Amino acid sequence: MKVYYNLSEYQSSKKSIVTVGTFDGVHLGHQKLLERICFKAASAECTSVMLTFYPHPRMVLFPDDNDLKLLNTLDERIELLRKTGLEHLIVHPFSVAFSRTTADEYVNDILVGQLKVHTLVIGYDHHFGRNREGNLKNLKLLAPEGNFEVEEIPAQVVDHVNISSTKIRQALLNGDVSKASEFLGYQYSVSGKVVAGNAFGRSMGFPTANLEVDNIAKLIPGNGVYAVHVRFGGVSYMGMGNIGTRPTVNADLRKPSLEVHLFGFNGDLYGKQLEVKFASRLRDEIKFDNVELLKKQLDDDAVAVQNYFAVSHGNGSDALQ
């Protein structure tokens, strides 16, 4: 897959099968759409193209709104898209000026003029152009003049629930990482650098790595204790993760922290980059009456995590490739 960071960089003499959108999460619905694009491109002797935008349009149009949390960083999204068979990815800078592009300009100048669209494959709820004035109905009216086709992809369904990035975000905020994984088609992950903590976990026999998440817009799952995979140095370790304010020992901690304990690892992780994949949520974060009760619960949690992985992977090895 070739990546372009501006529409002007893309030059091709071939007609293209195009899709447009944010594709946050690159979930199963997105994957189905991209599968269709790649199939159509091969069948029609065209090239497959995705047009996406960075930063997220909402971050540009509503800069004071810090509520939006994304499933992927740009780099994560690109790596997920590489696995789909897509030939060309255009990551165009989104700006206030670009947001003023009319629906007609979007179709005539970008889709037809720049991308040489043969077929536009889009989701059922696609909107485009200034003030989101363009929709599927507009596209079908404009398509004959531009000599291209429009193909609608309906909402994908898993267990009769429409898949959407919004529903995945909500599942994660609720701590339901299993449902999120089911919709995504892969385990949700967060990456960050290990920073110094208070070493309280070590004093109880569970040394933890405290992560400073790379991107402030990255969504962090809801508070609780999780079974996690922690990837470091090319090896994935079984781990126990905690997201929360550590109420038993740090009642003044207002911003939730993410810390992980790696089973079978005893080295120094300070300053290292870790990737944490969330496999399953064990329980809520609890405030205990004393440290001894917390220590007992951590022992129980460790057993529960190891039992979970023993069942999931069919063995109890600490390192998983």
Side-chain angles (χ1 to χ4, degrees):
M1 183 180 78
K2 190 167 183 180
V3 182
Y4 312 81
Y5 291 93
N6 196 296
L7 268 163
S8 62
E9 295 177 7
Y10 177 77
Q11 301 292 332
S12 177
S13 59
K14 294 181 70 174
K15 286 281 191 175
S16 60
I17 311 297
V18 179
T19 191
V20 183
T22 302
F23 284 71
D24 186 34
V26 194
H27 56 61
L28 287 176
H30 296 143
Q31 293 168 36
K32 187 70 174 178
L33 187 151
L34 291 166
E35 179 183 317
R36 179 64 179 164
I37 288 170
C38 294
F39 173 79
K40 285 186 70 69
S43 301
E45 297 184 349
C46 294
T47 189
S48 56
V49 178
M50 177 194 289
L51 172 61
T52 191
F53 305 99
Y54 187 82
H56 190 286
R58 184 169 147 186
M59 293 180 172
V60 174
L61 300 176
F62 306 99
D64 297 327
D65 181 1
N66 298 315
D67 291 337
L68 178 65
K69 297 298 180 182
L70 300 176
L71 300 173
N72 302 138
T73 65
L74 178 59
D75 287 343
E76 288 171 347
R77 191 164 25 131
I78 289 172
E79 289 310 305
L80 287 166
L81 290 169
R82 286 191 191 280
K83 301 174 183 178
T84 66
L86 185 71
E87 295 175 90
H88 302 280
L89 171 64
I90 304 169
V91 184
H92 188 72
F94 192 87
S95 64
V96 172
F98 184 81
S99 74
R100 298 190 179 113
T101 303
T102 66
D104 286 353
E105 290 170 338
Y106 171 88
V107 172
N108 295 326
D109 298 345
I110 296 176
L111 295 181
V112 177
Q114 183 69 26
L115 302 182
K116 298 180 175 60
V117 60
H118 174 283
T119 304
L120 178 64
V121 183
I122 55 170
Y124 69 103
D125 58 350
H126 182 69
H127 287 79
F128 61 95
R130 183 176 54 200
N131 299 323
R132 292 170 56 86
E133 63 189 5
N135 54 32
L136 186 64
K137 181 179 178 180
N138 299 130
L139 282 169
K140 289 182 176 179
L141 289 173
L142 293 168
E145 184 179 343
N147 194 30
F148 66 92
E149 298 176 4
V150 177
E151 181 172 325
E152 174 191 1
I153 297 292
Q156 291 308 118
V157 176
V158 172
D159 291 337
H160 307 293
V161 178
N162 291 339
I163 298 174
S164 71
S165 298
T166 300
K167 289 181 178 178
I168 295 169
R169 293 187 196 107
Q170 191 57 57
L172 289 168
L173 290 173
N174 292 338
D176 195 346
V177 294
S178 297
K179 179 181 286 187
S181 296
E182 183 181 1
F183 287 174
L184 288 166
Y186 59 89
Q187 289 181 344
Y188 186 72
S189 67
V190 173
S191 296
K193 183 174 69 174
V194 179
V195 297
N198 59 12
F200 185 79
R202 183 176 296 278
S203 69
M204 292 193 294
F206 292 96
T208 59
N210 298 274
L211 259 66
E212 183 177 78
V213 178
D214 293 334
N215 192 315
I216 60 172
K218 177 78 173 180
L219 188 150
I220 307 300
N223 290 2
V225 177
Y226 295 85
V228 298
H229 299 284
V230 183
R231 192 158 188 83
F232 164 69
V235 177
S236 184
Y237 292 87
M238 295 185 298
M240 180 168 66
N242 184 82
I243 298 173
T245 58
R246 294 177 291 188
T248 304
V249 298
N250 199 343
D252 295 329
L253 187 64
R254 296 181 181 179
K255 181 181 178 182
S257 66
L258 167 57
E259 52 188 331
V260 292
H261 170 74
L262 284 64
F263 294 108
F265 184 86
N266 299 308
D268 183 7
L269 291 173
Y270 289 126
K272 304 299 183 182
Q273 190 77 9
L274 303 185
E275 179 188 18
V276 179
K277 293 184 177 182
F278 293 88
S280 181
R281 187 174 188 270
L282 300 181
R283 63 172 176 85
D284 293 337
E285 187 178 43
I286 302 170
K287 181 176 181 178
F288 295 91
D289 291 337
N290 55 60
V291 172
E292 288 72 24
L293 289 174
L294 173 59
K295 172 65 168 63
K296 181 180 184 304
Q297 182 62 59
L298 289 176
D299 290 336
D300 292 342
D301 291 340
V303 171
V305 169
Q306 291 173 318
N307 287 341
Y308 168 82
F309 283 122
V311 172
S312 298
H313 301 288
N315 61 69
S317 63
D318 290 333
L320 304 167
Q321 297 300 322

